[in-house]
Amino acid sequence: MTLFAKFATLKQGFGQLNALGNNPFALTFDDVLSPTEAILKGRRVLLLGTNNYLGLTYDPECVRKATEALQKHGTGTTGSRIANGSYSDHSRLEAALADFYGRRSCMVFSTGYQANLGMLSTLVGKGDHLLVDADSHASIYDACNLGRAEVLRFRHNDADDLDKRLRRLADQPGDRLIVVEGIYSMLGDTAALREIVESEIDALRALYAGRL
Ligand SMILES: Cc1ncc(COP(=O)(O)O)c(C=O)c1O
């Protein structure tokens, strides 16, 4: 099958969507007015899908500081930190965030996608085990594919199912990393963190007893 033939079905579906005049991939605003409002085909509409949770994109202080940074440093860093070093403002931001959260240090990523990719693919690798809530965000699944750890899905917010899977790993070497989210993006519910931690603490103690 050629590369183009592979996409024939997708193309057909996309054509049908376009014919309805409701192609979600072609949504272009005439203007975006605020964190929550825009103009779309001449109509004022509410923005309910953005993750501009704190509305900081229009906060006057943020706009002023971002403008100052642009004037001083230009429109981009033009290279990665690892290759070129860090801007002192980025390091100060990380120190301030670490201080706010009461942590020794922190690392800022510019998107959630990159944070998940960066952290998950680094923390575990070949021979380790990732236990992932089945309803995790797509970026977590991408991150799992990038690392080389074994990926095991447990039922959404189900501490017993997680427990069962952890116990099955009892004889296997390698680290285990449990991945849950603060708020599940598609469901809107929160992680059952208390239940998961309480139920896992004994299982993890037993698993690591010989290794700590
Ligand atoms: C739980 C969760 N993780 C990761 C992401 C990806 O974040 P970003 O869109 O900043 O890449 C999102 C985005 O909605 C999310 O809801």
Side-chain angles (χ1 to χ4, degrees):
M1 191 187 277
T2 68
L3 192 59
F4 290 114
K6 224 169 59 176
F7 290 97
T9 318
L10 196 64
K11 192 175 169 208
Q12 194 190 359
F14 186 62
Q16 287 166 350
L17 205 61
N18 254 335
L20 292 172
N22 282 325
N23 175 3
F25 306 110
L27 188 85
T28 306
F29 297 112
D30 307 342
D31 201 4
V32 174
L33 306 173
S34 77
T36 51
E37 294 159 294
I39 304 288
L40 181 66
K41 293 183 183 158
R43 285 175 55 214
R44 207 177 175 101
V45 294
L46 286 175
L47 301 175
L48 300 176
T50 69
N51 52 16
N52 191 10
Y53 308 116
L54 302 177
L56 292 180
T57 52
Y58 282 84
D59 178 82
E61 181 67 0
C62 286
V63 171
R64 190 175 66 75
K65 289 304 243 182
T67 309
E68 272 175 31
L70 272 173
Q71 295 290 349
K72 194 165 157 208
H73 298 298
T75 56
T77 59
T78 66
S80 72
R81 296 173 75 174
I82 203 155
N84 302 327
S86 294
Y87 283 50
S88 60
D89 288 343
H90 289 155
S91 297
R92 286 197 306 120
L93 170 67
E94 289 176 334
L97 284 169
D99 186 46
F100 181 79
Y101 285 107
R103 303 284 161 183
R104 282 196 299 270
S105 61
C106 106
M107 191 182 284
V108 170
F109 290 85
S110 49
T111 68
Y113 186 86
Q114 286 168 309
N116 284 334
L117 251 57
M119 294 316 297
L120 292 179
S121 65
T122 304
L123 288 174
V124 285
K126 195 167 174 358
D128 296 329
H129 313 274
L130 267 169
L131 294 115
V132 182
D133 186 292
D135 280 317
S136 289
H137 191 263
S139 58
I140 289 179
Y141 282 106
D142 283 358
C144 289
N145 289 335
L146 193 64
R148 290 161 55 207
E150 181 195 23
V151 180
L152 299 159
R153 285 159 32 124
F154 61 92
R155 278 202 298 274
H156 176 55
N157 260 347
D158 188 332
D160 291 339
D161 194 40
L162 169 62
D163 195 48
K164 202 166 70 192
R165 278 158 216 280
L166 263 178
R167 284 176 196 277
R168 274 192 210 142
L169 291 175
D171 302 332
Q172 299 209 24
D175 289 324
R176 295 99 169 94
L177 184 68
I178 301 168
V179 184
V180 296
E181 296 192 13
I183 296 180
Y184 286 86
S185 54
M186 302 311 284
L187 303 167
D189 59 347
T190 52
L193 209 50
R194 187 177 296 279
E195 290 84 342
I196 288 175
V197 170
E198 277 170 5
S199 124
E200 294 330 311
I201 238 156
D202 286 342
L204 288 170
R205 271 208 191 109
L207 278 174
Y208 282 88
R211 305 172 60 206
L212 291 177

